Amino acid sequence: MRYNFYVSILTCLWSTLVFSQLDSIQTLNEVLVVDRQIKTFSTGQLVFDFSKTELQNSPGTLTDFLQQETTLFLKQNGYGMVSSPSFRGTTAQQTAVVWNGFNINSQFNGQTDFNTLLVDGFDELSVRAGGGSVAYGTGAIGGSIHLKNEMRFDGETEVEINSRYGSFNTLQNLAKVSTSNDTWSLSMAISRLSSDNDYDWPNTNRQNVNGEFEHHNLNLNLSTKLKRKNTLTYHGMYYNGDRHFSLLFPTDNKSKYLNEDHRHALTWESDFQDFKSVLKMAYFDEKYQYIANIDTPNPAESHAKTALSRYSLHYNIKDFDFNFLSEFNYSSANGDDLVEDYRTVTAFALLAKNHFQKLTSEVSFRQEFSNVYDSPFLFSTGLNYDWFEFFSTKMNISRNFRMPTFNDLFWENAGRTDLKPEISNQAEISGILQTKSKNLKISVTGFYNDITDMIRWIPAENAVWKPENVDEVETYGLESHIHFQQDFNQHKFRANASYAYTISENKLTGNQLTYVPKHKLTSGLVYEIQKFKLQLQGIYNGELYTRSSNLPNDILEDYVLLNFIMTYQIPIFQNFTISAQVRNLTDEAYQTVENRPMPGRHYFINMNINI
Amino acid sequence: MINKFKFFTLLLLSIFIVSCSDDDSIDDVSPEGDYQNGFFVLNEGSPVGSVSFMSSDFQELSNSIYENKNDALLGSYLQSIFFEDDRAYIISNGSNIITVVNRYTFELIDTIDSDLNIPMFGTTHNGKAYVVNIADFSTGADDYLAVIDLETLEVETTVEIGDFAEEIYEDNGMIYVQNTNYGIGNSVSKFDPNSNTFVQTLEVGEGLNSTDVENGKMFAATSEGLKIVDLNSFSIENTWELPNTLNSIQNVTVDDNAVFYTSGTSVYSTDLGAEDLSSEAILTYESNSDYGVFYGFKVEDSQIYIADAGAFTEAGTILVYDISGQLIADFTTDIGPNGFYFQ
């Protein structure tokens, strides 16, 4: 019966397409899967995984990392300042940041400031372009960024210390400990990043003023295997940021932003024969203070709390994977500018996947119910097909959404509870070429995304800005990735490149959205010989419009950034590596936001001890 | 090579012309500056603002005139300009800076950049400038008046206003401050520049949103209607009730014995001698956004100047109408046009 239901839906949606299977996800038994949905239910989409070594290789925050490694464009109000991504031509609020399976975008503005997340404490980061609302709810429109902590039960104990110092008195330290036996696993990471960030503005006689920041991040993960295949896991994260906002003009009032977030999640996982039952309870707390003038501080504060429980039942029978998901989410917020209120969201989702020879297919649905807005019916369907050993294709069609945030709903004298959620209907298709030896992998993806009822704050009477469901946007484009590696005896070469062509049009005017470059190219070259490693990284960001009118003068120029990294593993001390980096090698003067110059050539040295 | 050739030809030619003409005619050909006949449009910016100049025949528009002349920026969120002799003082409230330029050439003279904290509007009297500062946006308690010596361009003293503050006027040796802030506040206070003290406060009416001063009278738009304050006696001389058909009136401005105001996307006017406030629109214009209308509004020499800021993501639109409501000019300047200043 269930099978028939499943088949009929599939035939409906993909009547003309006949495909077969691919993906066999291999998870070592001793590693606990944290974010199960992305592992199992990404059919038709490409997922890029990055290991902790890669995360630690990049200085600083999520911004620095994603800018180099992905096709995302990130605009920053000067280095380290407010950073918002554009993922496939969408906005920051349409990019979900998922921490160990939970969407952690701010309750206030619905986005994550990518300069307030330190990545070096995490074990894995995955980037999935395209819709993900069925599994992750609001905001997963352009794509999702998944930060994960790994729980191992392999009896290993590891201590890692990483220390980086560089230009502008930038200091970054990480201490990480993990230990485990058959039944217990513990990992802890403390990281800290601070910088005076007082770089010279290229081609001017000015300096970046009031740009200093200091971030602290703490991750704690504890897991225990109980009797009868039960596992209990705790994930905790604490974040504290103290960031000044750099000045446009030397006489501007100096402002700063403090935020303190903590998040806790408890997971109880039980394995039965074909079933896996996962109960999660989580509590998130986010607090910020904005001080408009640090000389006469009068902080504006807001505080949001979220409690949620999620029950997830996985059923695996023969070639089928089913996942039933239900979630209840209660959030409340109050603040100097917010009317105190709450929002509840109840969600149900069903995800189903089938392997049949060379075809993997997936159909998923989600429906949410909220006390403050009407939620659309969401779905996602995907196909993977292995044509040959070296060539496969993927397709995905989905409907995703973004709900109005607390600011949209409850901002004093401006928020509106009659807002509708933003809705995105999208489709993508990919071709993946991979040689048998896996030396070369090429993927090309075409995507289309139609977004309606986009919420924008526009000026109303008396200079008050109010949110409205005004915009309709169409985005489409191409993404392509190449990975190549080759070893010649002791010489190891690796090369990566990605390119994105993005059109993101306001349907009313036909103009490209501001701060969405049409072209972005990244590349990385690595050469290793014995204990030496040389790396050259490049980014090309095409020109972009700063104004919605798209006039020829309203642009930021394109630019090329190069980084050079040299790493040496000290022979007498096996686990001690030292590296030096030159960033912005050619001293390019560039801006990602108008009138906000970024740093010229600068340097870092890095030491890593792994015991 | 060709460029050099052209340059020398021009140089020779200009020397020839100059040497052929007498001194008087040179003065006629090149007046005191480029910005002689016409008006300035102040563009608030997002966040960095600019100034545009339009010739009085609406034929020649120059944008970003300060940047082009001085290769520098004016600051964020430009609020207003005040003038004294041949100088223009451009106020940036985001950058706490007043840029002093020659009003005809827009060449930088100096900047006033200390002791200001969110400056908004300014006026001059007797060699001094009086500039309203908001300080902390959330409270009126710290709003103050900065008294600036126009010789030294230093803030001489600051005087607490004790209430919200926005527009400021000089009339007959006295300074008047509109005590409102983005729709909050209902009074006007009187400042004596001789003693540097606030001497009197007058409750004008609920919902006071804009004012204009002409010939010893202040015209004030409130939610009750239009009030006329006699500045000499500092009392309300007349109240024109809000017509039933209008929800509210805003953007009051006086020109040639008539008072002009706006409601929605329409412009109205009432003769100063009239009994009641007119509710018959002179013109209604189409705004491409429902909001951002009348971000700047002024009537000068029987021409109506409207600035529509749209959605603040691209250059705003300027519309000029004659007094009968006929469109005579239409052009765009820069982000957030908020004021007109006539030469």
Side-chain angles (χ1 to χ4, degrees):
Chain A
M1 187 59 207
R2 193 189 283 118
Y3 183 81
N4 286 340
F5 171 70
Y6 183 82
V7 167
S8 60
I9 289 167
L10 252 189
T11 343
C12 248
L13 291 160
W14 297 98
S15 53
T16 55
L17 301 162
V18 187
F19 283 115
S20 48
Q21 114 82 35
L22 128 117
D23 280 56
S24 62
I25 285 140
Q26 295 178 339
T27 28
L28 296 167
N29 276 338
E30 62 264 33
V31 179
L32 190 73
V33 180
V34 181
D35 189 347
R36 203 170 286 278
Q37 276 77 18
I38 193 171
K39 279 264 185 283
T40 317
F41 298 101
S42 291
T43 315
Q45 294 175 307
L46 291 170
V47 181
F48 292 91
D49 296 325
F50 301 93
S51 68
K52 65 176 179 187
T53 332
E54 289 167 286
L55 295 177
Q56 286 165 15
N57 201 4
S58 155
T61 61
L62 195 51
T63 304
D64 291 313
F65 182 77
L66 293 173
Q67 179 160 275
Q68 181 57 52
E69 302 295 340
T70 70
T71 53
L72 269 77
F73 172 71
L74 292 121
K75 64 167 182 171
Q76 296 184 75
N77 270 350
Y79 184 78
M81 302 295 106
V82 174
S83 162
S84 40
S86 167
F87 206 154
R88 287 187 172 175
T90 63
T91 69
Q93 296 175 321
Q94 294 163 345
T95 304
V97 175
V98 178
W99 168 75
N100 291 320
F102 296 100
N103 187 328
I104 56 164
N105 280 10
S106 162
Q107 296 292 346
F108 302 114
N109 59 14
Q111 68 187 61
T112 296
D113 183 339
F114 282 28
N115 270 332
T116 64
L117 262 182
L118 300 181
V119 292
D120 53 6
F122 290 94
D123 298 315
E124 194 185 27
L125 184 146
S126 302
V127 178
R128 186 173 77 180
S133 282
V134 167
Y136 300 104
T138 180
I141 290 177
S144 47
I145 314 291
H146 301 255
L147 294 162
K148 288 173 274 189
N149 294 103
E150 223 168 43
M151 304 305 314
R152 293 180 162 277
F153 293 91
D154 55 5
E156 300 274 331
T157 297
E158 235 181 285
V159 178
E160 187 173 358
I161 291 165
N162 197 70
S163 190
R164 175 179 291 121
Y165 182 78
S167 304
F168 328 125
N169 196 22
T170 303
L171 182 62
Q172 184 172 18
N173 288 308
L174 166 75
K176 205 169 170 182
V177 186
S178 63
T179 183
S180 69
N181 59 24
D182 291 353
T183 52
W184 282 89
S185 175
L186 168 77
S187 81
M188 215 168 98
I190 302 175
S191 62
R192 182 187 175 283
L193 168 66
S194 66
S195 175
D196 290 349
N197 202 23
D198 53 352
Y199 55 89
D200 290 328
W201 285 11
N203 303 337
T204 68
N205 50 12
R206 287 186 53 190
Q207 217 183 10
N208 201 44
V209 178
N210 200 48
E212 60 265 40
F213 55 80
E214 186 175 336
H215 302 297
H216 294 92
N217 194 61
L218 178 70
N219 290 329
L220 177 66
N221 306 282
L222 187 64
S223 185
T224 176
K225 285 185 173 168
L226 305 171
K227 281 176 189 166
R228 296 191 198 91
K229 294 188 173 177
N230 283 291
T231 315
L232 207 56
T233 307
Y234 167 81
H235 292 293
M237 108 173 234
Y238 171 80
Y239 180 84
N240 183 306
D242 179 342
R243 179 171 50 159
H244 289 236
F245 286 143
S246 62
L247 306 184
L248 258 172
F249 295 91
T251 47
D252 292 357
N253 286 342
K254 289 178 177 169
S255 60
K256 73 174 195 172
Y257 181 84
L258 306 168
N259 67 320
E260 192 176 32
D261 305 330
H262 52 97
R263 302 185 176 93
H264 313 271
L266 200 61
T267 307
W268 174 29
E269 202 172 301
S270 316
D271 270 320
F272 305 99
Q273 270 193 324
D274 303 324
F275 287 97
K276 189 182 286 290
S277 146
V278 185
L279 176 68
K280 295 187 181 213
M281 312 277 273
Y283 174 74
F284 304 152
D285 189 292
E286 52 176 309
K287 204 162 29 180
Y288 77 80
Q289 270 194 0
Y290 173 67
I291 296 162
N293 185 347
I294 59 172
D295 298 326
T296 54
N298 178 16
E301 300 183 350
S302 283
H303 190 182
K305 297 170 200 165
T306 304
L308 69 89
S309 67
R310 178 188 293 170
Y311 182 73
S312 182
L313 187 68
H314 297 265
Y315 177 51
N316 174 261
I317 180 165
K318 291 182 185 162
D319 295 329
F320 285 93
D321 280 305
F322 293 99
N323 178 203
F324 169 74
L325 213 123
S326 68
E327 183 173 319
F328 180 73
N329 182 318
Y330 175 91
S331 319
S332 72
N334 61 69
D336 291 336
D337 299 308
L338 284 177
V339 180
E340 183 165 0
D341 216 318
Y342 71 97
R343 179 180 61 204
T344 61
V345 177
T346 310
F348 299 98
L350 181 68
L351 298 88
K353 191 171 83 166
N354 171 251
H355 292 292
F356 177 72
Q357 294 178 353
K358 291 176 169 183
L359 176 76
T360 306
S361 53
E362 184 187 319
V363 185
S364 307
F365 307 102
R366 184 188 185 98
Q367 179 66 58
E368 294 198 349
F369 304 92
S370 169
N371 65 328
V372 274
Y373 61 90
D374 290 327
S375 204
F377 175 74
L378 307 173
F379 69 86
S380 169
T381 110
L383 291 176
N384 293 348
Y385 188 80
D386 260 358
W387 295 87
F388 309 103
E389 204 171 351
F390 60 89
F391 182 67
S392 59
T393 51
K394 288 169 183 270
M395 283 184 91
N396 185 280
I397 296 176
S398 64
R399 179 187 289 154
N400 307 278
F401 87 121
R402 180 176 87 81
M403 63 188 180
T405 64
F406 268 87
N407 287 359
D408 297 333
L409 296 164
F410 306 123
W411 193 266
E412 205 162 23
N413 301 321
R416 298 169 47 170
T417 50
D418 59 347
L419 287 169
K420 292 178 278 184
E422 297 175 355
I423 293 176
S424 138
N425 288 307
Q426 52 179 277
E428 64 178 272
I429 182 161
S430 306
I432 302 127
L433 197 71
Q434 186 167 19
T435 55
K436 203 174 166 184
S437 58
K438 294 193 173 176
N439 276 4
L440 177 68
K441 187 175 177 178
I442 300 173
S443 69
V444 179
T445 305
F447 64 90
Y448 175 83
N449 189 355
D450 180 85
I451 311 171
T452 51
D453 286 325
M454 263 173 79
I455 299 168
R456 180 153 56 95
W457 284 60
I458 53 180
E461 283 171 39
N462 293 328
V464 177
W465 292 58
K466 291 187 177 187
E468 284 248 336
N469 288 101
V470 279
D471 288 331
E472 303 209 341
V473 170
E474 194 175 55
T475 74
Y476 55 91
L478 275 178
E479 282 165 355
S480 130
H481 295 85
I482 299 175
H483 176 81
F484 172 76
Q485 63 185 69
Q486 188 71 57
D487 298 349
F488 302 103
N489 303 325
Q490 294 179 329
H491 307 273
K492 293 178 185 167
F493 292 97
R494 261 177 294 146
N496 277 305
S498 71
Y499 167 73
Y501 172 72
T502 311
I503 296 296
S504 181
E505 263 178 24
N506 180 322
K507 281 212 261 185
L508 194 70
T509 60
N511 286 347
Q512 176 91 347
L513 294 201
T514 58
Y515 292 100
V516 178
K518 285 183 182 166
H519 305 278
K520 183 181 172 182
L521 190 77
T522 70
S523 68
L525 293 172
V526 183
Y527 168 64
E528 265 179 85
I529 176 162
Q530 291 174 340
K531 306 277 180 194
F532 276 107
K533 188 162 95 174
L534 300 177
Q535 251 176 297
L536 184 67
Q537 301 177 328
I539 301 173
Y540 169 79
N541 257 315
E543 66 173 34
L544 54 84
Y545 290 110
T546 56
R547 296 186 185 180
S548 55
S549 45
N550 285 193
L551 294 175
N553 291 335
D554 306 337
I555 57 161
L556 283 184
E557 301 279 344
D558 57 347
Y559 56 85
V560 173
L561 292 181
L562 294 175
N563 301 324
F564 180 68
I565 306 163
M566 214 164 52
T567 308
Y568 180 57
Q569 201 172 44
I570 293 176
I572 37 164
F573 199 19
Q574 270 299 337
N575 294 314
F576 185 76
T577 49
I578 182 159
S579 73
Q581 297 199 14
V582 187
R583 298 184 70 81
N584 192 358
L585 195 65
T586 56
D587 206 20
E588 176 93 356
Y590 72 106
Q591 302 180 352
T592 60
V593 170
E594 198 179 5
N595 298 316
R596 294 290 192 173
M598 297 290 280
R601 188 182 305 118
H602 58 288
Y603 309 89
F604 287 111
I605 51 165
N606 191 63
M607 281 170 293
N608 185 287
I609 304 170
N610 209 327
I611 310 158
Chain B
M1 199 59 199
I2 290 163
N3 282 336
K4 267 186 189 162
F5 176 73
K6 274 188 184 166
F7 176 75
F8 283 114
T9 321
L10 278 171
L11 196 70
L12 275 172
L13 209 66
S14 59
I15 291 166
F16 177 73
I17 291 167
V18 169
S19 51
C20 282
S21 23
D22 62 35
D23 285 344
D24 287 340
S25 72
I26 287 175
D27 281 346
D28 287 347
V29 178
S30 65
E32 288 173 73
D34 292 337
Y35 312 118
Q36 196 78 7
N37 297 307
F39 59 96
F40 299 107
V41 180
L42 184 64
N43 305 294
E44 191 171 271
S46 176
V48 180
S50 70
V51 180
S52 302
F53 183 81
M54 179 54 123
S55 60
S56 45
D57 57 2
F58 307 112
Q59 294 304 308
E60 208 178 322
L61 174 70
S62 316
N63 286 325
S64 301
I65 60 174
Y66 177 81
E67 290 91 308
N68 293 340
K69 184 80 187 177
N70 303 291
D71 196 23
L73 299 169
L74 282 166
S76 343
Y77 304 113
L78 306 183
Q79 289 303 309
S80 64
I81 309 178
F82 62 91
F83 298 88
E84 176 72 23
D85 299 330
D86 59 358
R87 289 180 172 192
Y89 300 81
I90 304 147
I91 302 181
S92 150
N93 83 358
S95 304
N96 302 318
I97 194 161
I98 300 175
T99 307
V100 187
V101 299
N102 179 303
R103 71 186 285 175
Y104 302 109
T105 62
F106 251 65
E107 195 165 351
L108 172 67
I109 294 168
D110 206 343
T111 57
I112 306 165
D113 59 11
S114 49
D115 302 311
L116 300 172
N117 193 354
I118 325 275
M120 296 295 287
F121 293 92
T123 189
T124 60
H125 172 67
N126 205 12
K128 305 262 165 67
Y130 298 83
V131 175
V132 161
N133 289 260
I134 288 186
D136 195 320
F137 272 108
S138 62
T139 169
D142 56 3
D143 291 20
Y144 67 91
L145 203 59
V147 182
I148 299 162
D149 185 326
L150 291 178
E151 280 292 313
T152 62
L153 296 176
E154 297 285 335
V155 174
E156 233 176 45
T157 180
T158 62
V159 184
E160 270 202 15
I161 298 168
D163 198 349
F164 289 113
E166 216 159 4
E167 279 276 9
I168 185 165
Y169 306 92
E170 186 275 335
D171 186 80
N172 200 20
M174 285 290 167
I175 308 289
Y176 300 90
V177 176
Q178 178 189 326
N179 300 128
T180 59
N181 181 356
Y182 299 103
I184 309 166
N186 55 16
S187 63
V188 171
S189 48
K190 181 177 179 178
F191 179 82
D192 184 348
N194 301 312
S195 61
N196 272 351
T197 50
F198 281 92
V199 288
Q200 223 179 330
T201 299
L202 177 70
E203 294 244 334
V204 179
E206 285 301 315
L208 174 63
N209 64 57
S210 68
T211 50
D212 195 16
V213 169
E214 190 89 12
N215 294 330
K217 312 276 189 220
M218 175 181 275
F219 298 82
T222 71
S223 49
E224 298 153 23
L226 202 129
K227 310 251 179 164
I228 301 171
V229 178
D230 178 57
L231 292 176
N232 198 27
S233 62
F234 206 49
S235 59
I236 294 170
E237 184 187 84
N238 193 10
T239 300
W240 274 326
E241 301 266 317
L242 188 70
N244 290 333
T245 49
L246 298 183
N247 284 328
S248 66
I249 54 167
Q250 279 113 21
N251 301 307
V252 61
T253 177
V254 181
D255 180 59
D256 288 346
N257 292 322
V259 59
F260 293 80
Y261 44 93
T262 71
S263 187
T265 57
S266 300
V267 177
Y268 304 82
S269 85
T270 299
D271 284 340
L272 292 187
E275 294 260 307
D276 298 308
L277 214 51
S278 164
S279 58
E280 196 181 320
I282 302 174
L283 68 97
T284 299
Y285 83 100
E286 291 253 335
S287 181
N288 63 1
S289 100
D290 292 340
Y291 308 98
V293 290
F294 294 120
Y295 207 59
F297 179 69
K298 185 86 181 154
V299 182
E300 180 86 3
D301 292 334
S302 301
Q303 287 181 334
I304 298 163
Y305 295 79
I306 297 167
D308 186 290
F312 293 84
T313 58
E314 59 184 56
T317 306
I318 309 301
L319 301 166
V320 186
Y321 292 85
D322 69 14
I323 211 79
S324 64
Q326 292 300 308
L327 185 68
I328 43 183
D330 172 0
F331 55 95
T332 59
T333 54
D334 204 344
I335 293 186
N338 63 9
F340 299 96
Y341 301 89
F342 296 86
Q343 284 290 39

